[in-house]
Amino acid sequence: MDKVTDDFKNIKETAAKAVTELIEAAHLKEGDILVVGCSSSEIKGERIGKGSDMNAAEAVYEGIKPILDEKGIFLAAQGCEHINRAIITERAALGPLDEVVNVVPQLHAGGSFTVTVYNNAKDPVALERIQADAGMDIGDTLIGMHLKPVAVPVRLSMKEIGCAHLTCARTRPKFIGGERAKYDMVLAGKVSAEEQKNV
């Protein structure tokens, strides 16, 4: 196996491991949405937006998409600033208030990962915004605008995919009330539903 092929194999395997850990830590379930921002340039060790690589993007996609599909979790890919960080996802992920916008991502106007997601989707749509349940930021693409309001950092066993810095987050509903209020620890992301039953 040559070094380039080996590199893409490592990217795929690391992405798969990262998304598996994130799903578990965030207690994601069927119907939830994971937003992914992915700079293939940063994965290769280049400056974001300066070295887009379809092979690197496809390696990440091939690592995470089958795992998300198996769990029934929707993938939402964040585009670069040239399409105002628009989201590409499946039409099936839309809520009743989501508004579809018209843009088809390109390599240098959207980025290689959004192009990959768009080209592989059954029924792709673009949105200006989404409120995802968790997020994976590969290469400091700044996905925070597409997460639900209360985001909590998630530390994984790996800190990079290729050469790109990896940052992940889960979200939780806002706590309301005061010191006498009782909270659902499943919604807070502190325990799984199964663990809460056993308490």
Side-chain angles (χ1 to χ4, degrees):
M1 183 179 293
D2 62 59
K3 184 181 184 312
V4 172
T5 303
D6 195 42
D7 285 346
F8 293 135
K9 181 174 181 284
N10 289 337
I11 290 165
K12 178 179 175 179
E13 289 174 355
T14 306
K17 185 175 180 186
V19 80
T20 300
E21 288 186 18
L22 178 57
I23 288 168
E24 183 176 339
H27 304 295
L28 295 181
K29 60 191 182 309
E30 184 175 354
D32 283 349
I33 298 172
L34 173 71
V35 63
V36 175
C38 175
S39 169
S40 59
S41 302
E42 292 280 334
I43 289 172
K44 290 171 44 185
E46 298 183 30
R47 186 177 165 194
I48 191 168
K50 300 299 180 186
S52 293
D53 187 309
M54 290 300 297
N55 291 318
E58 287 167 5
V60 171
Y61 179 85
E62 289 170 10
I64 67 175
K65 189 64 165 67
I67 295 167
L68 296 177
D69 286 349
E70 182 183 334
K71 303 282 187 182
I73 298 166
F74 291 109
L75 171 61
Q78 176 185 272
C80 65
E81 74 275 13
H82 297 100
I83 58 170
N84 298 331
R85 303 197 190 283
I87 290 291
I88 302 299
T89 192
E90 292 282 1
R91 188 175 299 276
L94 302 187
L97 300 179
D98 288 325
E99 181 181 353
V100 174
V101 295
N102 191 352
V103 68
V104 176
Q106 306 298 310
L107 186 60
H108 299 295
S112 56
F113 188 71
T114 52
V115 169
T116 300
V117 171
Y118 188 92
N119 288 342
N120 285 280
K122 293 175 186 169
D123 189 6
V125 292
L127 306 170
E128 283 190 299
R129 62 188 59 84
I130 202 166
Q131 291 210 320
D133 302 283
M136 179 179 286
D137 189 328
I138 305 166
D140 301 317
T141 64
L142 304 177
I143 59 169
M145 65 187 282
H146 294 302
L147 290 169
K148 288 179 178 176
V150 184
V152 180
V154 173
R155 305 285 183 237
L156 304 183
S157 65
M158 71 286 301
K159 297 187 185 311
E160 295 177 336
I161 294 181
C163 295
H165 180 235
L166 176 63
T167 304
C168 292
R170 64 177 177 84
T171 63
R172 65 161 177 80
K174 299 173 184 177
F175 290 121
I176 63 168
E179 62 183 26
R180 291 183 290 180
K182 182 175 177 179
Y183 301 109
D184 183 329
M185 291 297 104
V186 174
L187 287 179
K190 299 289 186 184
V191 298
S192 68
E194 193 60 39
E195 288 170 327
Q196 183 160 275
K197 282 180 194 173
N198 297 327
V199 173

